[in-house]
């Protein structure tokens, strides 16, 4: 459940920043930005079923850590190119982000479900959704607050870099926490 907070913080924080970055730094219009954002939900939708299909071959721990590292790579890419976000780089970074969370989310849900007795599934699912919403809210507001708070000292592009670095650090913390996952549904997974 703790991993859920970190992944939603980073994913949704980056989600709220990217259109603003493209509008304010690149000067792009809403239509262009909307088209550039398509890879993110598309890869999210494709990665989930692929991760589910691979569940019997790859442990939950490996999948979740890999998903979070993909999110770290995405946010780090945005931090690196914040002064001049080229279209191809933005699309690749958004694809990494969508892939990362799309692969990790189903495995996080199954890890939570597998860690409780059947009679506690409702409570576990509700708790997971609650912390996901908390992570989302704090991430969106936290990264945007970092960007706005540092625009005066770091400049416009630098303020976005600072916010994306914060998101990448939080995602990395989630990856470290995810190394502690125990895949209770797979007896071949290391304890």
């Amino acid at each position: 459940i703790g991993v859920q907070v970190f992944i939603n913080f980073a994913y949704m924080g980056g989600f709220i920043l990217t259109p603003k970055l493209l509008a304010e730094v690149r000067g792009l219009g809403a239509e262009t930005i909307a088209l550039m954002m398509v890879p993110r939900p598309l890869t999210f939708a494709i990665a989930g079923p692929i991760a589910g299909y691979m569940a019997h071959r790859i442990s939950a721990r490996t999948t979740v850590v890999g998903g979070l590292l993909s999110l770290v790579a995405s946010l780090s890419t945005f931090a690196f190119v914040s002064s001049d976000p080229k279209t191809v780089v933005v699309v690749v970074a958004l694809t990494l982000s969508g892939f990362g969370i799309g692969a990790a989310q189903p495995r996080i849900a199954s890890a939570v479900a597998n860690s409780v007795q059947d009679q506690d599934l409702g409570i576990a699912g509700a708790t997971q959704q609650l912390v996901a919403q908390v992570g989302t809210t704090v991430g969106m507001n936290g990264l945007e607050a970092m960007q706005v708070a540092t625009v005066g000292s770091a400049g416009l592009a630098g303020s976005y870099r600072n916010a994306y670095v914060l998101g990448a650090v939080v995602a990395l913390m989630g990856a470290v926490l995810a190394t502690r996952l125990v895949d209770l549904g797979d007896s071949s997974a290391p304890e």
Side-chain angles (χ1 to χ4, degrees), residues 26-41:
R26 286 260 322 259
L28 299 177
E31 301 83 11
T32 304
I33 293 170
L35 287 173
M36 288 176 72
M37 297 294 289
V38 168
R40 188 180 193 139

Side-chain angles (χ1 to χ4, degrees), residues 12-163:
M12 293 305 293
F15 177 78
I16 203 76
L17 282 181
T18 302
K20 287 182 60 185
L21 171 77
L22 295 173
E24 292 180 0
V25 175
R26 286 260 322 259
L28 299 177
E31 301 83 11
T32 304
I33 293 170
L35 287 173
M36 288 176 72
M37 297 294 289
V38 168
R40 188 180 193 139
L42 183 63
T43 53
F44 178 98
I46 292 169
I50 291 171
Y53 177 75
M54 299 297 290
H56 64 284
R57 293 187 179 107
I58 302 172
S59 73
R61 177 185 307 132
T62 301
T63 304
V64 174
V65 169
L68 277 153
L69 292 177
S70 182
L71 189 54
V72 168
S74 170
L75 294 166
S76 297
T77 299
F78 276 112
F80 184 71
V81 303
S82 62
S83 61
D84 188 21
K86 301 285 188 211
T87 301
V88 171
V89 176
V90 168
V91 168
V92 168
L94 289 171
T95 300
L96 285 170
S97 179
F99 176 79
I101 195 157
Q105 284 288 48
R107 300 310 299 271
I108 293 170
S110 69
V112 169
N114 288 335
S115 69
V116 299
Q117 299 295 320
D118 288 348
Q119 67 268 19
D120 295 326
L121 282 174
I123 294 168
T127 302
Q128 179 186 0
Q129 288 302 312
L130 173 67
V131 299
Q133 293 304 314
V134 169
T136 295
T137 302
V138 175
M140 290 169 67
N141 291 303
L143 267 58
E144 186 169 14
M146 169 65 87
Q147 185 271 316
V148 170
T150 61
V151 74
S153 60
L156 185 61
S159 68
Y160 279 103
R161 181 176 41 260
N162 292 341

